[in-house]
Amino acid sequence: MESNLTSDNGNSSSNGTFETFFGGPPADVSAQAGIQLRAFFLNLAVSLSLFGFAVLAFFLLKSAAIGRRIYQPKTYLVQDRLRVDTVPADPLKWIRRIFTIRDDELKTKCGLDGYFFIRFLRAVLLIFVPLMIIVVTVLLPINYNKGKGNNFYSTTDGDNAQWNVAGLDTLSWQNIDPARTSRYWAHLVCAVLVVSWSLFRMYREKIHFIDARQRFLTSPEHRLKASARTILVTNIPSEYRSKEALEALYDVFVDNDDRNRLVVWVNRDYKTLRKLVAKRRSLRHALEKEELRIMRLCNKKLGKNSNVAGGSQADGKDHRDSRVSDDEYPMRQEQVELRLNRIFEQDCAEERQLWRSYLKPSAASQVSLVRGKDDNWKSTSFFKFWVAGESRKAPKVAWLRTEIARLTIQIDALLTDLDNDVLFKKQNSAFIQFDRQMAAHMACSLVSHSKAGRMSPRFLEVAPHEVVWANMDVTSLGRFVRTCIALVLFAAILLLWAVPTTILGFLSQLASLSFTVSWLRWLRGWPSWILGLISGPLVSILLALLIQLVVPALARKLAVLVGSPTKTKREVITQNFYFTFLFIELVLLTAVSSSVVKIVPQIIDNPVSIPTLLATNIPTSANYFFNYLIVQSLSYSGSVLFQFLRILYITTIWPWFTQTPREEAWLQTTIPHQMWGNVYALFTNFAAIGFIFSVVSPLILVFVSVTFSLFWVAYRHNYYFVQRNKIDTHGLLFNNALSQLFAGIYVMEIALIGLFLLVRDSNDNVACKSQAIIMIVVLILTAIFHFVMEQHLRPLYEFLPVTIEDTAADAEKRLLSTIRDENRVSNDEESGVDTKDEDVNSETALNSTMDGASDDRAQSKNMSTTAHNARKVLLGLGKNTAARIKDFQVHLPAQPDISRRREVADQLSAAIAGYPDELTDLTPHERAVQLKAAFQDPVTRESAPVIWIPQDKAGISEDVLRQAAKYGRFLQYSNAGAYLADNNKVEVTQPAPDTRPDWLLDWVL
């Protein structure tokens, strides 16, 4: 070598501006090693402390009153088929239960995405644990024994120099002495082992994924769903945007070209209707808050004036509501508008309201109004000072009531004319439901149009609740433009986040910088534990927050911007965006910034030594990821169990806000659901880090194995006892994650090729040319294997093979036969007479329902009629559900204690169980109507809202219900299942009265 790396030989005493900025005295190797180790152990101690606190708090709280809501809501807050046993109180029994959860239980209770995520954690463990045992055992002694360390060596100039390898670096690649370069053959063998074992395991997991996905999609329970037999066709040309044209085109896929076996929904732009519905919901929320505010003031005044500590008036009365039938539309809208104006004036002048006996009239909020051109009163504000016209002030409650009723009239008028091409333009997409699952797959796999890009892309397995209705009219050109914009914005995000990520990379090497950068020499006077705290746990925590808080939401917005028609597709695109971001920002940029910053002064001082400097210092970036993985494996896995943010939100943040019964019901009934795209991407990135540094710094295998082990335990608990699936890609994210693991393998191979070529022996010659050539061959073979595997397996998970259709059809027939037998037994027990004829009719209706055709399929039904029939069925379902809920509801004790909260939760649980959650819970006619309207825009089935207020001791809610009766069906009130307790807090024992009674059926359509 022409010069040494660390000695001060006087060659750079005055080399100008760069050395003035970067130059400094030689680094104290022992001091740097001490600071690096101290940072490592400080990070470990902090993370272990947080982990211990989180786990201890979890075990203490999981069986407490608050713990039932936080840590095991799926034991009581879900439908019966998804409920699980109570979490064992004994930690040892809990651990045993976590390890004994069967795969079929995970699939049933967590869905395929939940099962496959746990499977992904297990798959990564099966890759890294054997590699950890072999590679760590082989390479650590080779790297450490007789390595560079702090030894001195002689340069070609005859000078003595000292190697700058200390701390954890002595266990890594850079510690191999130039006189012993033959040891790098062991690294080559381990690299080939890592690649071959990983590819084998990934192939096995993909084969298992295909088998599990096909079994699930062809299960009889899934084949009965509407989504199993429905495809979404986009970019439809104008000549095919009608039910008749699409039926004529796709009837070739059904038996005998029978168009009655097809159900077609041509999408329309209901933006006008959607805006009115959104505005009505906003006003409903404002009205409920104002009614509750007045009610609380009255009951607070009553409590001060009364010494009687009794129950609420609800303890002696049944609930009431002002709801009336929704079957008929008003004959003349003008007459109803005039009637609303008279009711509004009456409400403003009404003095016989009960709340006035408790409060002064000024206690009611007022709203400023101005008369519009349509002669109706409209709200104004300070920001609309230019609005001219007659103005007045009116009670806020009266105005909100009138506006909600007025919006209901407008919405009802539009609901009768849903097929109007002028009001609601047809979009270039449609849902087509076939009579068989295989017909849908055939229609999706074949080319539909003779021109390129027309009637494409097409999508299978689209669940109605996963449709992104805002993207139903995106054209091919529009999708291309949107994609370009999204990519530009993504590049901007990468550039924006590169600055703080690079800074954190510099801070991770703060100890080295204090010795190599002249203007940071003042840091040498700081205590070493402070430098260790900054470069260890602080940097790791800040990095985790930087990449995990905001970026996933931005990636999901970009996925919608691209034009994703379904939430399933949105999650897949989110996974791609987020993994790319993590891989570039966290892995590549951080690895470079945390290693290169150490050698910039030395490169400036001696540019000829660049190969040796890079080979020695780039592997040191693994130390940065040691700290990062420690934070993730201990702190983050503990927080996954403890759920600190949810506890803080439910117990501290939420009570600060005014809780209406609807808000309280939402809080108590909403179960956390996982946004799968960012979760898969994050853990795929962990695995990629393990691959990249598995040979360069084998100790990373230990940290990756520990990380995935802890998360495997934490997420098995969360997905089984806490979270539920709202969006299910049926394992596509798992397959995508396995493919993304190749990024880590490719980078590892490319990095090893470069590092092998950078290795110099004691004579400064390239020492590992043969190893580099072999790694190039391995890289080429890896790429070939990747390409062939993807091409070979892709058709098997995109479409179902014909060979399994007969078996699946037989299983479906057996299930239908079982359902028919159960219905016959149920009918016999209820009626006590022979219902053979009714059973035949029921069977016919059932089969026609499952085939996608009802008894009146032959008749041409327009969208308005379909939506109206769906609303009528929902109204009937709602009445039946309300009756079932009322049967088991009991009056609650007055004092708010633990037993009361438990009883409230149990009643809420029973209320949820009263809602139908399977298609078999419905009558054949109800099933037919549900399936016929399944893929119709939900806004077309929107019913009038119900203003939900609690029952109270002062009787205000009863008086409000009487006052609201004059609005008829245009403004409906209810106080069912809501109570204002003695502490003025709202308690609910059921979902909101206007909750769609089929809300649980959305999960099974």
Side-chain angles (χ1 to χ4, degrees):
M1 297 176 65
E2 296 182 4
S3 63
N4 68 64
L5 302 179
T6 59
S7 63
D8 186 4
N9 56 13
N11 294 333
S12 59
S13 58
S14 56
N15 285 339
T17 307
F18 289 103
E19 281 147 318
T20 303
F21 184 81
F22 286 106
D28 187 336
V29 177
S30 61
Q32 291 186 60
I35 292 175
Q36 288 177 359
L37 287 175
R38 190 170 287 107
F40 174 79
F41 286 111
L42 270 174
N43 192 27
L44 182 62
V46 171
S47 299
L48 276 174
S49 300
L50 293 175
F51 178 77
F53 169 78
V55 172
L56 178 62
F58 166 75
F59 282 124
L60 291 176
L61 293 176
K62 66 183 177 65
S63 299
I66 186 64
R68 189 186 185 211
R69 177 68 182 91
I70 300 294
Y71 301 120
Q72 43 184 322
K74 288 175 71 174
T75 61
Y76 72 103
L77 273 183
V78 295
Q79 50 269 49
D80 291 336
R81 64 185 178 87
L82 294 179
R83 291 190 182 180
V84 297
D85 296 332
T86 304
V87 177
D90 187 348
L92 294 179
K93 292 182 179 179
W94 173 79
I95 287 290
R96 184 171 60 187
R97 180 65 184 119
I98 291 298
F99 277 83
T100 56
I101 299 174
R102 301 189 310 275
D103 286 350
D104 57 342
E105 287 184 275
L106 285 174
K107 293 176 185 177
T108 303
K109 309 298 183 182
C110 309
L112 270 193
D113 275 342
Y115 162 75
F116 274 121
F117 181 75
I118 302 298
R119 179 84 184 189
F120 179 74
L121 300 180
R122 173 183 176 272
V124 174
L125 284 174
L126 288 177
I127 293 174
F128 282 103
V129 171
L131 292 178
M132 176 188 68
I133 296 173
I134 298 174
V135 176
V136 171
T137 304
V138 172
L139 291 186
L140 285 191
I142 293 177
N143 292 337
Y144 182 78
N145 188 33
K146 296 182 180 181
K148 295 177 181 177
N150 299 335
N151 298 324
F152 288 88
Y153 67 97
S154 297
T155 66
T156 56
D157 297 334
D159 298 329
N160 288 329
Q162 185 181 20
W163 295 111
N164 187 6
V165 180
L168 296 175
D169 294 339
T170 59
L171 303 175
S172 301
W173 170 287
Q174 63 268 33
N175 197 43
I176 300 294
D177 193 282
R180 298 177 176 85
T181 54
S182 60
R183 295 186 177 187
Y184 284 111
W185 283 105
H187 294 78
L188 174 66
V189 173
C190 289
V192 174
L193 175 65
V194 169
V195 173
S196 57
W197 173 248
S198 301
L199 297 185
F200 170 73
R201 289 305 314 170
M202 289 160 62
Y203 177 77
R204 289 292 301 272
E205 291 299 327
K206 279 183 173 281
I207 293 297
H208 171 78
F209 154 71
I210 290 172
D211 179 68
R213 176 177 166 87
Q214 289 181 352
R215 287 178 181 273
F216 178 84
L217 294 182
T218 57
S219 64
E221 293 81 9
H222 182 77
R223 286 169 61 94
L224 294 182
K225 296 180 180 180
S227 57
R229 295 173 285 110
T230 304
I231 66 172
L232 169 61
V233 183
T234 61
N235 203 30
I236 300 175
S238 56
E239 62 268 22
Y240 284 102
R241 295 178 193 174
S242 67
K243 294 179 61 175
E244 294 75 15
L246 289 174
E247 287 176 348
L249 180 64
Y250 284 99
D251 62 4
V252 67
F253 297 104
V254 296
D255 294 338
N256 301 320
D257 294 348
D258 185 4
R259 298 182 185 180
N260 289 331
R261 294 178 176 269
L262 290 174
V263 182
V264 175
W265 297 270
V266 179
N267 297 318
R268 291 178 178 268
D269 183 8
Y270 292 112
K271 186 181 301 183
T272 304
L273 181 60
R274 193 171 284 109
K275 286 182 179 179
L276 293 176
V277 170
K279 183 178 180 181
R280 185 172 64 177
R281 289 176 180 171
S282 176
L283 294 179
R284 179 194 64 189
H285 176 67
L287 178 56
E288 288 178 346
K289 287 183 64 175
E290 182 64 18
E291 296 279 16
L292 180 61
R293 186 186 69 84
I294 295 176
M295 196 176 299
R296 280 177 165 164
L297 291 176
C298 293
N299 282 270
K300 185 178 181 180
K301 188 73 172 294
L302 177 66
K304 290 181 179 180
N305 297 336
S306 175
N307 294 324
V308 180
S312 68
Q313 285 195 5
D315 294 339
K317 298 181 180 179
D318 292 334
H319 70 266
R320 296 180 58 228
D321 60 48
S322 62
R323 288 180 286 173
V324 297
S325 175
D326 192 32
D327 292 343
E328 296 181 359
Y329 290 99
M331 296 300 296
R332 294 184 60 183
Q333 183 173 334
E334 297 80 3
Q335 294 179 350
V336 178
E337 289 277 359
L338 293 175
R339 181 185 173 190
L340 277 183
N341 291 333
R342 290 196 299 270
I343 294 175
F344 170 67
E345 297 296 340
Q346 181 182 346
D347 243 359
C348 292
E350 181 63 60
E351 296 183 355
R352 294 176 299 173
Q353 300 180 26
L354 185 58
W355 68 267
R356 291 177 179 268
S357 62
Y358 294 95
L359 304 173
K360 296 180 180 180
S362 59
S365 299
Q366 300 286 311
V367 60
S368 299
L369 303 176
V370 62
R371 190 181 294 277
K373 295 180 180 180
D374 57 356
D375 205 36
N376 292 323
W377 293 102
K378 303 182 183 300
S379 65
T380 184
S381 67
F382 173 79
F383 298 101
K384 296 181 179 180
F385 57 87
W386 64 86
V387 177
E390 181 184 355
S391 61
R392 63 177 290 188
K393 285 187 176 293
K396 186 176 182 179
V397 168
W399 180 77
L400 288 173
R401 290 175 178 174
T402 306
E403 283 302 299
I404 292 175
R406 200 181 310 278
L407 285 172
T408 299
I409 295 173
Q410 297 175 18
I411 292 170
D412 284 352
L414 292 176
L415 289 177
T416 62
D417 205 11
L418 295 176
D419 298 281
N420 190 316
D421 291 338
V422 177
L423 291 176
F424 308 114
K425 180 176 68 72
K426 288 183 178 179
Q427 297 178 319
N428 67 343
S429 62
F431 293 96
I432 304 173
Q433 188 176 107
F434 298 86
D435 60 336
R436 291 174 292 121
Q437 185 182 38
M438 189 54 62
H441 281 258
M442 292 169 59
C444 195
S445 61
L446 296 177
V447 179
S448 296
H449 201 277
S450 58
K451 294 184 179 179
R454 298 291 179 92
M455 306 189 77
S456 177
R458 296 173 296 278
F459 300 90
L460 282 165
E461 298 294 338
V462 180
H465 71 280
E466 294 182 359
V467 177
V468 181
W469 294 101
N471 285 344
M472 286 294 100
D473 198 30
V474 180
T475 63
S476 296
L477 177 61
R479 187 173 287 107
F480 174 77
V481 173
R482 283 166 166 248
T483 302
C484 293
I485 295 174
L487 292 176
V488 171
L489 293 176
F490 183 65
I493 293 174
L494 289 175
L495 293 175
L496 182 62
W497 256 258
V499 177
T501 303
T502 305
I503 293 175
L504 290 177
F506 290 163
L507 290 179
S508 69
Q509 302 295 335
L510 197 60
S512 299
L513 292 174
S514 66
F515 287 95
T516 58
V517 179
S518 59
W519 53 273
L520 289 178
R521 66 181 61 179
W522 55 275
L523 291 173
R524 297 177 206 166
W526 284 25
S528 58
W529 68 269
I530 292 182
L531 293 178
L533 184 67
I534 294 175
S535 60
L538 181 60
V539 169
S540 301
I541 292 173
L542 289 177
L543 179 65
L545 295 176
L546 178 68
I547 64 176
Q548 290 176 216
L549 286 183
V550 181
V551 180
L554 295 178
R556 194 161 281 106
K557 292 292 185 182
L558 292 179
V560 175
L561 176 62
V562 165
S564 303
T566 67
K567 294 177 182 177
T568 295
K569 186 67 175 177
R570 182 196 68 186
E571 289 304 302
V572 173
I573 297 177
T574 299
Q575 181 189 23
N576 294 332
F577 272 129
Y578 192 41
F579 175 77
T580 305
F581 173 87
L582 291 174
F583 196 73
I584 293 175
E585 294 284 342
L586 179 60
V587 180
L588 302 182
L589 182 60
T590 301
V592 172
S593 64
S594 63
S595 56
V596 171
V597 66
K598 297 172 58 178
I599 60 177
V600 169
Q602 301 174 52
I603 291 176
I604 295 173
D605 183 49
N606 191 7
V608 180
S609 63
I610 288 178
T612 304
L613 291 174
L614 290 175
T616 302
N617 287 277
I618 285 182
T620 62
S621 60
N623 298 334
Y624 183 81
F625 293 106
F626 290 163
N627 290 323
Y628 174 70
L629 289 176
I630 286 174
V631 169
Q632 292 292 336
S633 63
L634 295 176
S635 302
Y636 186 39
S637 65
S639 67
V640 168
L641 272 181
F642 181 44
Q643 302 184 59
F644 170 74
L645 291 179
R646 279 197 74 218
I647 292 178
L648 182 67
Y649 180 77
I650 290 178
T651 61
T652 305
I653 297 177
W654 187 259
W656 290 351
F657 299 94
T658 300
Q659 295 163 298
T660 64
R662 191 180 306 275
E663 293 171 328
E664 181 68 17
W666 178 87
L667 177 69
Q668 296 301 334
T669 59
T670 300
I671 294 180
H673 63 275
Q674 194 65 65
M675 306 304 286
W676 291 110
N678 50 288
V679 176
Y680 269 97
L682 181 64
F683 285 90
T684 307
N685 191 70
F686 291 163
I689 292 173
F691 282 127
I692 292 171
F693 293 99
S694 58
V695 177
V696 173
S697 186
L699 200 60
I700 198 77
L701 295 173
V702 177
F703 294 101
V704 172
S705 299
V706 172
T707 298
F708 279 89
S709 298
L710 293 176
F711 278 112
W712 183 82
V713 173
Y715 277 110
R716 277 177 79 89
H717 170 87
N718 267 16
Y719 291 153
Y720 189 73
F721 291 103
V722 181
Q723 296 179 337
R724 68 173 301 170
N725 253 5
K726 191 172 184 180
I727 301 169
D728 202 332
T729 67
H730 303 132
L732 291 178
L733 294 173
F734 172 81
N735 179 69
N736 210 22
L738 290 176
S739 299
Q740 289 171 348
L741 289 179
F742 278 93
I745 295 177
Y746 288 139
V747 171
M748 178 198 72
E749 294 170 338
I750 294 171
L752 285 177
I753 292 171
L755 289 174
F756 279 132
L757 293 175
L758 290 174
V759 172
R760 299 293 190 271
D761 59 17
S762 56
N763 296 321
D764 199 27
N765 297 321
V766 177
C768 295
K769 189 180 299 182
S770 300
Q771 291 93 326
I773 293 174
I774 294 175
M775 281 308 303
I776 292 174
V777 175
V778 172
L779 174 63
I780 295 173
L781 292 177
T782 302
I784 294 174
F785 175 85
H786 186 193
F787 176 79
V788 172
M789 182 182 67
E790 293 293 344
Q791 294 299 315
H792 178 65
L793 298 181
R794 180 177 291 112
L796 294 178
Y797 63 77
E798 286 186 349
F799 304 107
L800 293 176
V802 180
T803 54
I804 62 177
E805 171 63 18
D806 291 340
T807 304
D810 292 340
E812 183 179 5
K813 291 178 181 178
R814 288 194 297 270
L815 177 63
L816 291 175
S817 177
T818 302
I819 295 174
R820 183 172 62 252
D821 293 341
E822 291 176 352
N823 290 338
R824 180 182 296 111
V825 172
S826 177
N827 291 337
D828 290 345
E829 291 177 352
E830 291 179 3
S831 62
V833 298
D834 184 12
T835 56
K836 181 177 180 180
D837 294 337
E838 294 179 6
D839 289 338
V840 172
N841 294 334
S842 177
E843 177 184 352
T844 302
L846 176 62
N847 290 331
S848 65
T849 297
M850 299 309 175
D851 288 340
S854 60
D855 293 336
D856 57 357
R857 265 296 293 151
Q859 301 178 13
S860 176
K861 294 274 187 175
N862 60 30
M863 196 166 291
S864 299
T865 304
T866 302
H868 182 59
N869 289 340
R871 288 194 299 272
K872 289 181 65 176
V873 167
L874 291 181
L875 182 64
L877 282 176
K879 291 179 179 178
N880 296 336
T881 303
R884 286 195 298 270
I885 293 175
K886 186 178 179 181
D887 288 340
F888 59 74
Q889 279 189 336
V890 296
H891 299 307
L892 302 172
Q895 297 301 323
D897 53 17
I898 295 178
S899 62
R900 175 193 179 95
R901 289 195 294 270
R902 179 86 178 196
E903 187 176 1
V904 168
D906 288 341
Q907 290 200 31
L908 188 58
S909 168
I912 293 175
Y915 285 85
D917 63 337
E918 291 283 1
L919 288 174
T920 53
D921 294 338
L922 307 180
T923 66
H925 172 69
E926 291 171 342
R927 280 193 296 270
V929 174
Q930 278 292 115
L931 292 177
K932 189 171 177 58
F935 288 94
Q936 199 163 303
D937 196 321
V939 75
T940 64
R941 290 174 282 162
E942 188 81 13
S943 57
V946 176
I947 310 303
W948 196 21
I949 57 177
Q951 304 173 44
D952 64 309
K953 290 171 60 176
I956 303 299
S957 67
E958 298 292 333
D959 182 67
V960 169
L961 262 62
R962 287 190 293 269
Q963 296 286 338
K966 57 179 172 286
Y967 286 91
R969 74 177 185 87
F970 300 112
L971 183 66
Q972 306 175 26
Y973 272 75
S974 176
N975 61 5
Y979 309 89
L980 194 63
D982 290 345
N983 59 0
N984 244 1
K985 298 291 185 181
V986 173
E987 295 176 342
V988 296
T989 59
Q990 68 172 56
D994 56 356
T995 299
R996 279 180 49 187
D998 63 340
W999 66 292
L1000 293 177
L1001 292 174
D1002 282 345
W1003 304 82
V1004 297
L1005 286 177

